[in-house]
């Protein structure tokens, strides 16, 4: 089992509001570069979605549950079919998006018990909780040529050092997809 974090991220490390749905002043930064940069399986999840589990925080799940169920292309079919765990203290009904269930109990303990690969997308609070316990094995980051100066950072100031190695990097439209794993 491995934990894979996938994020849209700016050059200055901001991961919040890439689509503008939160209404922040700089929101929508990822989609300013056209749909080709964000469409399809940019993060090379393919088989991982077929065999793994998607872990989402409430906000990301609510957004995705409005977007993905109506799509039918091959990648969307995988996103709709994958088992989804929702880390939430407030939601009780997650029937809006098939194969979703609320994660009960402690988030870290649940991830440690999971036997499948865990893919976390968006969901900065979930990612930060897993980072604090050194549970992230790989970061797949789609880095956009944007500097916001403010917002939620993937690696918060004052956090412990993280030593990674670059496993791959390639241009993806206006962005760069890079994979980083434990050094």
């Amino acid at each position: 089992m491995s934990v894979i974090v996938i994020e849209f991220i700016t050059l200055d490390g901001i991961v919040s509001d890439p689509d503008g749905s939160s209404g922040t002043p700089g929101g929508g930064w990822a989609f300013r570069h056209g749909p080709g940069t964000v469409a399809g399986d940019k993060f090379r999840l393919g088989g991982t979605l077929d065999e793994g589990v998607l872990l989402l925080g409430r906000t990301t799940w609510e957004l995705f549950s409005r977007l993905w169920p109506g799509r039918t292309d091959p990648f969307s079919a995988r996103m709709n079919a994958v088992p989804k765990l929702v880390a939430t203290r407030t939601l009780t009904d997650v029937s809006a998006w098939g194969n979703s269930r609320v994660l009960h109990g402690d988030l870290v303990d649940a991830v440690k018990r999971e036997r499948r690969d865990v893919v976390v997308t968006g969901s900065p609070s979930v990612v930060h909780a897993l980072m604090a316990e050194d549970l992230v094995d790989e970061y797949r980051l789609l880095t956009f040529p944007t500097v916001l100066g403010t917002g939620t950072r993937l690696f918060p100031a004052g956090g412990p050092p993280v030593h990674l190695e670059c496993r791959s990097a390639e241009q993806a439209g206006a962005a760069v997809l890079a994979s980083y794993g434990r050094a």
Side-chain angles (χ1 to χ4, degrees):
M1 184 276 294
S2 63
V3 175
I4 303 164
V5 168
I6 63 172
E7 296 285 349
F8 291 165
I9 190 167
T10 64
L11 282 175
D12 58 342
I14 305 299
V15 294
S16 51
D17 205 12
D19 67 337
S21 64
S22 296
T24 62
W29 48 268
F31 293 85
R32 289 189 179 109
H33 301 282
T37 302
V38 297
D41 188 8
K42 289 291 189 260
F43 293 99
R44 311 286 189 260
L45 293 173
T48 305
L49 288 180
D50 294 339
E51 303 296 326
V53 62
L54 192 59
L55 173 60
L56 304 163
R58 178 193 52 82
T59 302
T60 302
W61 183 87
E62 287 177 331
L63 173 66
F64 283 12
S65 71
R66 293 188 302 269
L67 297 174
W68 290 103
R71 297 179 180 178
T72 58
D73 61 273
F75 180 68
S76 296
R78 279 184 159 148
M79 286 291 286
N80 290 324
V82 67
K84 293 167 263 310
L85 299 175
V86 185
T88 179
R89 291 184 183 95
T90 57
L91 285 179
T92 55
D93 180 11
V94 293
S95 62
W97 192 15
N99 301 316
S100 296
R101 70 178 175 86
V102 172
L103 188 148
H104 295 286
D106 183 72
L107 167 68
V108 170
D109 289 341
V111 170
K112 286 180 178 178
R113 285 192 310 270
E114 186 59 55
R115 297 194 185 273
R116 300 167 288 189
D117 286 340
V118 176
V119 176
V120 186
T121 183
S123 311
S125 61
V126 171
V127 172
H128 290 156
L130 299 178
M131 289 168 66
E133 297 295 323
D134 195 28
L135 292 177
V136 178
D137 298 294
E138 181 180 359
Y139 296 89
R140 294 184 192 174
L141 307 178
L142 192 58
T143 306
F144 291 81
T146 299
V147 175
L148 293 176
T150 185
T152 303
R153 296 183 183 284
L154 177 58
F155 299 100
V162 179
H163 302 285
L164 303 168
E165 65 180 8
C166 183
R167 294 182 176 167
S168 66
E170 65 185 81
Q171 188 161 355
V176 172
L177 173 65
S179 171
Y180 302 92
R182 296 176 186 269

